[in-house]
Amino acid sequence: MSETLTITDNRTGQSYEVPITDNTINAVDLRQISVPDQPGLSTYDPGLVNTSACRSAVTYIDGDAGILEYRGYPIEQLAEQCTYLEVAYLLIHGDLPNPEQLAAWEASITQRRFVHENVKALTEKTRHDAHPMATMMASVAGLHTFYPAGRRYDDPASRDLQVRRLIAKMPTIAAYSYRHSLGLPYVYPLDTLSYTENFLAMLFKMGEPRYKADPRLVRALEVLFILHADHEQNCSTTAVRTVASAGNDPYTSISAGIGALFGPLHGGANEAVLRMLDRIGDQSNIGSFIDGVKAGNEKLMGFGHRVYKNYDPRARIIKDACHDVFEVTGVNPKLEIAQELEAIALEDEYFKERKLYPNVDFYSGLIYEALGLPPEMFTVMFAIPRTSGWLSQWLEQVVDSEQKIARPKQIYTGKRGRSL
Ligand code: SDX
């Protein structure tokens, strides 16, 4: 039995043999199938639902089995046993760091947490109610103006330096946009604090000499950052790879990823879930809300996934993390509505036949809100850790000899042959 596909073009009766590799056929092999006066066949796949656009060794997902692995390690083990910076190192370098590598990695990121004061000024010049995702997108794109050497993406040392800079600076940029929205002074990074402790301090420190984050909240944030770090070829990673395919540096490429993540169908869903729960208000309204979803009036935000046709393994872990956080902050009253909503949806044929389960965004917002963050900051909390995933994918993209500048075809539906 040969690893080939035999295709018969019934328009001509001609047969073609196309090789199957990695359970795919190369779309370019279809070009040979043609009829006179027409170009050869190509594929049409809106949203790239059934199209592999790259090879990657970073993340493996089995959507039917609900499996998620970073570089071969199950997400459950990483969330249980690692810190976010260990996982960021794993995504970027392919293996977990030994103690010496981890110490050097943490030190090199700690020393790069500051941003140029002009980046701070960029945030200061936005309106008080600027959405922090828009501010973050602008600030990250703006980082390119301070590190133009990032364009030398063919230089491994430059790639490595930009990676460390971006991982280090995302929490600072995020915290600045949050403090700006409240009219509060910005809090500078403190080298004596861990990555997540320092982020919480930059968000919430007020007049006290030293902000002390509850270790249970620090650990919960580590877990959330690990769970959000990468997710193979999602929409925002595809945006990063597409911009990188034109020969762009990580700042420019990742600002495009932030833009894609901002969308409510993608990372913006965690903000949309909280607004949905606010609109539902209380459990007595859940039935009519579900009816509205089934009538097609709106989506049940935080449910459904292009790949997972089972429970998103991250949602299960986040649901458990809720309890750890609520021990400190008090239970978010919206938890009950969310749990009731989930219980009803999981029993309802409409959701079951469409294999709609809670995804990573369904419960995460409840934690961010319990930490005291407004809904506008929720997707920012997603973008910070996803930066290490985007960077690991950017690194693959820029050195992959099979890759070309992204330039898909189209099916032209417009008029032809007009003249003025
Ligand atoms: C993330 O790709 C990733 O890996 C993303 C992510 C990551 O880590 O990077 O996991 C993060 O983006 C998670 C998803 C967050 N988005 C939301 O929670 C928004 C709500 N979900 C949907 O918009 C939707 O489920 C998507 C966008 C997530 C997936 O959409 P698909 O795969 O394109 O599926 P579809 O829109 O074709 O839906 C199939 C059917 C449709 O019904 P019919 O037309 O067949 O009748 O399911 C319905 C959809 O209407 N449907 C929903 C629904 N999601 C799909 N109906 C109600 N509520 C929903 N949430």
Side-chain angles (χ1 to χ4, degrees), residues 49 61 227-228 230-237 261 264-267 269-270 273 293 298-309 312 314 350-351 354 356 359-361 382 386:
V49 172
I61 301 175
L227 296 174
H228 286 84
D230 192 59
H231 213 239
E232 57 139 280
Q233 306 312 314
N234 55 80
C235 178
S236 52
T237 296
L261 190 74
L265 297 185
H266 190 11
N270 55 20
V273 167
V293 170
E298 61 182 304
K299 292 192 182 302
L300 174 52
M301 301 311 275
F303 259 65
H305 201 279
R306 174 64 57 77
V307 179
Y308 291 122
K309 300 309 172 190
D312 182 332
R314 301 168 296 175
Y350 176 93
F351 298 94
R354 291 168 177 79
L356 301 178
N359 59 48
V360 68
D361 292 310
F382 194 147
R386 184 52 61 91

Side-chain angles (χ1 to χ4, degrees), residues 132-194:
M133 278 298 279
T135 311
M136 176 178 259
M137 197 171 14
S139 302
V140 169
L143 282 177
H144 167 67
T145 62
F146 297 93
Y147 307 113
R151 297 297 272 185
R152 288 204 321 270
Y153 60 81
D154 50 347
D155 168 6
S158 171
R159 292 200 295 267
D160 183 60
L161 177 57
Q162 313 317 327
V163 161
R164 293 163 193 258
R165 280 175 171 155
L166 259 168
I167 291 174
K169 296 177 193 311
M170 288 300 273
T172 309
I173 289 170
Y176 282 5
S177 57
Y178 173 65
R179 301 286 288 198
H180 172 69
S181 70
L182 298 175
L184 290 173
Y186 296 7
V187 177
Y188 283 120
L190 204 54
D191 289 2
T192 52
L193 300 178
S194 74

Side-chain angles (χ1 to χ4, degrees), residues 205-273:
K205 184 180 179 307
M206 297 302 282
E208 70 278 31
R210 176 63 58 89
Y211 178 84
K212 192 75 194 100
D214 185 301
R216 290 167 293 182
L217 299 184
V218 174
R219 183 60 208 156
L221 195 54
E222 291 280 353
V223 171
L224 282 163
F225 276 13
I226 289 168
L227 296 174
H228 286 84
D230 192 59
H231 213 239
E232 57 139 280
Q233 306 312 314
N234 55 80
C235 178
S236 52
T237 296
T238 302
V240 169
R241 281 180 171 267
T242 300
V243 172
S245 75
N248 277 305
D249 60 278
Y251 306 107
T252 309
S253 304
I254 279 161
S255 64
I258 295 169
L261 190 74
F262 196 359
L265 297 185
H266 190 11
N270 55 20
E271 176 180 347
V273 167

